Amino acid sequence: MFQGKSVAITGASGGIGRAVAEMFLAGGAKVAISDLTCPTETANAIGAVAFKCDVSEESQVEDFIDSASAANGPVDIFVANAGVGYGDEKHAAGASNKAWELSWKINVMQSVYASRVLLPEWKERGGGRLIVTASAAGLMAQIGSASYTVTKHAVAAFAEQVAFEHAHQGVKVNCICPQYVRTNMTKGFSMAENSPDGFLEPSDVANALKLAIEEDRFLVLPHAVVGEYFKHRAADVDGYIAGMAKLKSKLKAETLPIKS
Ligand SMILES: NC(=O)c1ccc[n+]([C@@H]2O[C@H](COP(=O)([O-])OP(=O)(O)OC[C@H]3O[C@@H](n4cnc5c(N)ncnc54)[C@H](O)[C@@H]3O)[C@@H](O)[C@H]2O)c1
C-alpha cells in the first residue's frame, strides 16, 4: 500500500513511533526514524535508517527532513510523533514555564516546523501526508497535566487546519488520538494499566492508523470509545466537566496519568 513511499517519523526509538515505522515498512515504504539520540539499534532491527533529531529545534527538524530525503527520496509522509507530558504541580497552572515551553515546542511546533518545509514541496509535487500523534487529550481535557491537554488540543487543531487549507493540493492529514498505550510514557501508571477502556499495544495504534489511511479518515481512534466520549462532550460540556470532577475526586496523586 505504501510501496516506495518515503516516510519520516520522529520520536521513533520505541513505542508508537517504532510500531508505525514497522507498519509502513511492511507496506513497502522506505522509512527514516529519529529521536533525541540516534535510534540506530531500532533502525537496524526493523530495516529503517536512523537520524538524531531534537524536534524542539526547528533547524534539527529541517535537517531530519533533508537527511530522510537524501536517504529515501523526497519525504511523502511525515509523522510528528515525538511527545512529552509533564504533571501539574499543586494546581492546574502549577507546571514550570520550562515544562510549558518544552511541551509547546515538542508537542506543537515540531508539526509547524515540518509543515513549513513540506507543504510548499507537497504543493509542487501534487501531494503528501502529515500525521500527528496527538492524544485523546487533544480532543477532551484530561486529568493531571494541563500542559499536555492544551498542547495536544493545539496540535489537533493545527492538523485540522492543514487538512482543509491544503486538501486541494493533494495533502492528506491524520490525527492519532489514543487513550492509554503500553509504552515508556505510561510505564508504572496503574491508571493506564487498569483503564476500563483498555490498555493498547503500540501495534494496535499502527493498525488503526493503517485503517484510517485506507478509509481516508482524518481522526484515528485506536480506542473506539473515545469517539463516543467526544460526541458526549460536544453535546453536554457541563456534563463532561462534572464527570471529570467526580473522577478527579476519586483519584490519588500517585495514579495521575501523566508523569514528568
Ligand atoms: N502512551 C500513551 O498512552 C499515549 C497516549 C496518547 C498519545 N501518546 C503520544 O504518542 C506519542 C509517542 O509516545 P509513546 O507513547 O510511544 O511514548 P515513548 O516515550 O515511547 O515515545 C516518545 C518519544 O518521544 C521522544 N522525544 C521526547 N522529546 C523529544 C524531543 N525533544 N525530540 C525528539 N524526540 C523526543 C522520546 O525520546 C521518545 O522516544 C507521543 O506524542 C505521546 O504524547 C501516547
Side-chain angles (χ1 to χ4, degrees):
M1 182 179 183
F2 305 111
Q3 204 59 45
K5 295 285 183 199
S6 170
V7 181
I9 310 174
T10 65
S13 60
I16 294 169
R18 176 183 171 145
V20 167
E22 291 184 280
M23 181 275 287
F24 279 120
L25 285 162
K30 295 174 283 181
V31 177
I33 60 172
S34 66
D35 212 306
L36 271 177
T37 54
C38 186
T40 310
E41 209 173 299
T42 302
N44 290 343
I46 66 176
V49 289
F51 300 96
K52 177 189 175 310
C53 174
D54 177 344
V55 299
S56 67
E57 296 287 337
E58 184 164 16
S59 62
Q60 293 199 31
V61 175
E62 292 166 353
D63 288 350
F64 175 45
I65 292 170
D66 278 353
S67 304
S69 301
N72 292 333
V75 170
D76 299 300
I77 300 174
F78 187 89
V79 189
N81 172 73
V84 286
Y86 298 96
D88 292 335
E89 300 287 337
K90 296 183 184 146
H91 53 71
S96 66
N97 285 346
K98 178 92 184 149
W100 276 92
E101 280 160 18
L102 272 175
S103 301
W104 181 252
K105 282 186 172 173
I106 294 166
N107 293 351
V108 185
M109 292 309 291
Q110 71 160 312
S111 292
V112 179
Y113 300 151
S115 298
R116 270 191 192 134
V117 176
L118 291 168
L119 289 175
E121 281 186 23
W122 288 343
K123 180 183 172 195
E124 288 296 309
R125 303 213 316 268
R129 182 178 297 273
L130 173 69
I131 300 171
V132 303
T133 311
S135 168
L139 300 176
M140 295 160 286
Q142 299 297 312
I143 292 168
S145 176
S147 56
Y148 194 74
T149 286
V150 168
T151 55
K152 292 294 186 176
H153 269 65
V155 77
F158 179 71
E160 195 175 323
Q161 187 90 16
V162 172
F164 66 72
E165 297 274 11
H166 295 274
H168 68 291
Q169 294 163 348
V171 174
K172 301 279 187 181
V173 185
N174 302 101
C175 183
I176 310 176
C177 298
Q179 279 196 6
Y180 299 121
V181 184
R182 194 186 309 278
T183 68
N184 280 339
M185 197 174 250
T186 50
K187 217 175 208 163
F189 280 138
S190 59
M191 193 173 163
E193 284 158 6
N194 302 315
S195 170
D197 296 334
F199 193 32
L200 298 187
E201 298 300 329
S203 58
D204 297 323
V205 178
N207 290 337
L209 170 63
K210 182 167 176 271
L211 191 64
I213 294 173
E214 282 167 2
E215 294 177 352
D216 202 16
R217 278 187 285 106
F218 170 80
L219 267 188
V220 184
L221 301 176
H223 300 76
V225 72
V226 168
E228 298 307 312
Y229 293 157
F230 190 39
K231 279 186 209 154
H232 163 70
R233 178 187 169 277
D236 179 12
V237 71
D238 291 309
Y240 181 77
I241 291 170
M244 293 302 275
K246 205 166 157 187
L247 180 60
K248 164 86 185 178
S249 70
K250 281 194 205 154
L251 294 175
K252 297 195 184 91
E254 64 272 19
T255 65
L256 290 179
I258 299 294
K259 65 179 175 184
S260 301

